[in-house]
Amino acid sequence: MDIRELVLQQLRTVLDPELGINVVDLGLIYDLQISDGNIYILMTLTTPGCPLHDSIVGGVKRALEQIDGIRDVKVDVTWNPPWTPERMSEEALRQLGHF
């Protein structure tokens, strides 16, 4: 498995506690860069005032720090563009009963 797939696999272990769906399938990950053991994530949350902001961002960092060879993980949160349900994968929609 290449490193990008491994990173995505780890990110799928991080759940939005309110919805019980992982951050990848929710469409919260906007950008993923990997270089020399460093990972940069640009992500959003479902709402700007999300009370679980620190919990979700911390979960992303902890999940990625578990990968062998990763030296640093930086996570930035953006609200532009705002998250919309159209960003969700078919799996996320299925979990919410939309399929």
Side-chain angles (χ1 to χ4, degrees):
M1 179 180 306
D2 81 345
I3 186 69
R4 183 175 182 82
E5 282 304 312
L6 185 57
V7 167
L8 289 171
Q9 180 179 355
Q10 281 297 103
L11 287 172
R12 285 186 176 94
T13 69
V14 181
L15 302 180
D16 178 302
E18 292 180 322
L19 297 173
I21 299 172
N22 72 71
V23 296
V24 174
D25 286 331
L26 274 175
L28 300 181
I29 306 299
Y30 285 179
D31 190 27
L32 164 60
Q33 298 174 23
I34 306 164
S35 177
D36 298 325
N38 300 303
I39 299 176
Y40 172 74
I41 301 284
L42 179 64
M43 65 179 294
T44 195
L45 300 171
T46 55
T47 58
C50 180
L52 299 168
H53 175 280
D54 292 339
S55 174
I56 295 171
V57 170
V60 165
K61 287 181 132 180
R62 284 188 299 279
L64 298 180
E65 288 169 346
Q66 294 178 24
I67 300 172
D68 286 337
I70 297 305
R71 292 188 295 222
D72 186 51
V73 177
K74 178 167 175 40
V75 179
D76 285 332
V77 175
T78 185
W79 306 111
N80 191 18
W83 179 85
T84 62
E86 289 79 26
R87 295 192 57 87
M88 289 191 291
S89 71
E90 285 185 19
E91 179 58 29
L93 292 170
R94 195 174 359 270
Q95 289 179 41
L96 293 174
H98 292 280
F99 268 108

